[in-house]
Amino acid sequence: VFPRARLEKEGRLSSRVKQVWREGAPLIIVGPVGVAVRVVAPLLKKKTSDPPVVVVDIAGAFVVCLTGGHHGGNALTLEVARALGAVPVITTGTQVLGVPSLEELALERGFFIHPETNALLFNKAMVEMKEVYALGLGWRRGTSREELEEAFVTFWKDTGLSHSPHLLATAKVKEKEAQEALLPLAKRLGTALV
């Protein structure tokens, strides 16, 4: 079922987990959640870069998404639970309420989320069932940050929309020049930069 999976059973659990963690591969730990928490806790740095950790109890009855839910952990939990005929345990607000998270939307569509993006803002709005807008921008080389901000102001006037709190995602192109102009604007607006 998991052709790329490998079984690590030699040596101490903490050493095995550290090795796989350094590789950035998702982890499936079989054992109590408490043991997994103690082994993984010292390794946690940033939710956007830490690998997903899924825990399966020794009876194979429950599969718990411990970390990285929006970064592949929820999907892995569901996949492992399906393979074992187990109950998936997922606690991320978006998944529980059946609404998409920014990270999952980006993953499904092959988008990159800028590391400085506050995805929590978008996800919170989704959980609270707020009306959410995403603004996609075309990009012309040489466009200054000032021109970009002026375009936003015109957009707000023409649409009658307020950028706060409704605009929660700003799409961009990969070009460095576009990133340098959009990142400060997205920060100022408090939007996610996807």
Side-chain angles (χ1 to χ4, degrees):
V1 177
F2 301 98
R4 294 180 29 212
R6 71 174 196 257
L7 181 62
E8 295 282 345
K9 57 183 186 177
E10 300 298 323
R12 295 175 43 97
L13 178 62
S14 59
S15 300
R16 291 180 279 159
V17 167
K18 281 180 190 173
Q19 174 58 36
V20 176
W21 192 275
R22 279 192 291 267
E23 296 168 12
L27 287 144
I28 300 172
I29 298 173
V30 178
V33 168
V35 169
V37 167
R38 286 180 186 86
V39 170
V40 170
L43 305 173
L44 293 169
K45 299 285 184 248
K46 194 171 184 182
K47 73 182 236 171
T48 55
S49 58
D50 292 338
V53 178
V54 171
V55 183
V56 179
D57 70 281
I58 61 171
F62 297 96
V63 181
V64 180
C65 182
L66 189 62
T67 66
H70 290 158
H71 302 277
N74 289 342
L76 182 59
T77 297
L78 292 170
E79 192 176 352
V80 171
R82 209 172 10 261
L84 296 175
V87 175
V89 180
I90 295 174
T91 61
T92 52
T94 53
Q95 187 83 17
V96 170
L97 295 175
V99 295
S101 72
L102 180 63
E103 298 91 341
E104 289 164 333
L105 288 171
L107 187 63
E108 286 171 8
R109 290 160 177 80
F111 294 159
F112 167 80
I113 299 175
H114 194 280
E116 294 182 41
T117 290
N118 183 355
L120 181 62
L121 179 68
F122 180 92
N123 294 338
K124 183 175 184 256
M126 295 301 287
V127 166
E128 293 174 356
M129 307 292 185
K130 291 182 179 172
E131 192 171 37
V132 175
Y133 298 99
L135 181 61
L137 299 173
W139 184 258
R140 187 178 312 134
R141 284 193 185 276
T143 303
S144 69
R145 186 180 338 167
E146 293 76 20
E147 291 172 302
L148 195 56
E149 289 193 36
E150 185 178 318
F152 269 81
V153 169
T154 302
F155 172 78
W156 302 134
K157 285 180 183 174
D158 290 350
T159 62
L161 295 172
S162 166
H163 72 270
S164 178
H166 301 288
L167 178 67
L168 293 172
T170 307
K172 68 168 180 65
V173 293
K174 292 181 181 177
E175 294 164 5
K176 187 159 181 62
E177 183 182 6
Q179 291 178 21
E180 289 172 357
L182 278 174
L183 183 58
L185 180 59
K187 278 183 170 180
R188 193 170 68 71
L189 296 172
T191 69
L193 185 59
V194 182

